[in-house]
Amino acid sequence: MMKIVFLFLVCFVLQQTSSNELKEGESHSRERRAVCGFQRYNPTFRMCCGGRLVFKGSNNACCGQAGYNIRFRMCCGGRLVFKGSNNACCGQAGYNIRFRMCCGGRLVFKGSNNACCGQTGYNIRFRSCCNGRLC
């Protein structure tokens, strides 16, 4: 009788061990479990950002290893910035495309400028760009 109980326990433990071994990103649908790095977690309450577990709450996206809510923030070049009226990124900075533009990774005021020449904004009605320089 002891041998049967022992064999049952060994089989049960082996089955549990093999069913708990998941690769990163995989999940068991019936358990709603996933793996982040080497940690198991429930994706209903947490999420994996860059191999780090973060609480979900209102967060619905990742920026590097940080979670954030896309309604209020945005990820620019791996850095979190407040959204406000910003609707685009230039490097690690957020900006509003109505008032500024990104020229070669540099923010410039739009005004009457409607094109970029290298890192400089200019108006194509009055100037030209020649090999990355205004002419």
Side-chain angles (χ1 to χ4, degrees):
M1 180 70 168
M2 287 296 274
K3 287 182 182 180
I4 295 172
V5 171
F6 178 73
L7 285 174
F8 173 76
L9 286 175
V10 169
C11 289
F12 179 75
V13 169
L14 288 175
Q15 181 182 5
Q16 288 296 102
T17 303
S18 65
S19 68
N20 286 341
E21 292 173 359
L22 295 175
K23 294 179 183 162
E24 188 167 353
E26 290 182 337
S27 66
H28 284 304
S29 59
R30 72 174 198 272
E31 293 180 9
R32 291 284 299 149
R33 294 279 182 189
V35 174
C36 182
F38 297 103
Q39 291 181 295
R40 292 172 51 91
Y41 70 99
N42 185 331
T44 303
F45 305 108
R46 298 178 97 181
M47 60 188 201
C48 185
C49 291
R52 182 173 171 244
L53 278 178
V54 295
F55 287 103
K56 216 171 196 174
S58 63
N59 296 331
N60 52 8
C62 292
C63 184
Q65 291 187 326
Y68 71 101
N69 186 315
I70 61 172
R71 288 182 60 205
F72 306 110
R73 298 179 107 181
M74 57 189 203
C75 185
C76 292
R79 183 173 169 241
L80 279 176
V81 295
F82 287 103
K83 208 169 194 173
S85 62
N86 296 331
N87 52 12
C89 292
C90 184
Q92 291 187 325
Y95 72 100
N96 186 318
I97 60 173
R98 287 183 57 204
F99 306 110
R100 299 181 108 183
M101 55 190 206
C102 185
C103 292
R106 183 172 166 241
L107 278 176
V108 296
F109 287 103
K110 205 168 193 175
S112 63
N113 297 331
N114 55 11
C116 292
C117 184
Q119 292 186 324
T120 306
Y122 75 102
N123 187 318
I124 60 172
R125 288 178 48 202
F126 306 112
R127 305 283 303 262
S128 296
C129 185
C130 305
N131 297 323
R133 292 181 171 232
L134 289 176
C135 52

